[in-house]
Amino acid sequence: MAKKTKPIMRWMKKNKGLGASIAHFVLREENGIYITTCRKTNAEAKFWVDLTEEEMILITYYDDARCGMCHYSWRSIRPENL
C-alpha cells in the first residue's frame, strides 16, 4: 500500500513537551505523522499547532525562535517569504 502524503509547507510548533516554543518547518503529513525539515521532531498531527500572528512576526526577525536545522535547510521557506 502506498504512503498517503499531504503537503503542509509551513512553520508550526509543538503544542506541548520539550521545545514547544521553537518553530519547525513542517513539510508534509504521512499517515498522520507530520514530517519536519530537521526530521528530529516528527510527531502525530495532534501534537502540532499553527503559529499565532505574533509568533510569525517573532520568527521572521529572530532566528533563535526557529529550529536551527529547519532554518538553514534549503527545503524551508523563510517566514518573510510566506
Side-chain angles (χ1 to χ4, degrees):
M1 187 170 165
K3 285 184 178 178
K4 260 176 98 174
T5 300
K6 180 178 126 190
I8 305 289
M9 301 298 289
R10 66 180 186 259
W11 289 94
M12 299 179 78
K13 69 176 186 175
K14 291 177 87 174
N15 61 7
K16 63 180 181 178
L18 239 68
S21 61
I22 300 293
H24 293 269
F25 195 76
V26 179
L27 296 170
R28 63 189 179 276
E29 176 194 1
E30 290 181 4
N31 297 324
I33 303 294
Y34 277 18
I35 308 297
T36 61
T37 302
C38 66
R39 299 190 72 82
K40 291 190 178 286
T41 58
N42 301 336
E44 292 179 50
K46 67 181 179 180
F47 294 115
W48 291 95
V49 293
D50 287 317
L51 301 177
T52 64
E53 286 182 38
E54 293 82 13
E55 289 170 327
M56 281 300 295
I57 292 168
L58 183 70
I59 70 165
T60 300
Y61 295 106
Y62 299 103
D63 295 347
D64 291 343
R66 290 176 260 169
C67 165
M69 294 186 74
C70 290
H71 172 72
Y72 290 112
S73 173
W74 60 270
R75 297 182 298 169
S76 298
I77 299 171
R78 298 287 181 258
E80 59 272 15
N81 295 332
L82 290 175

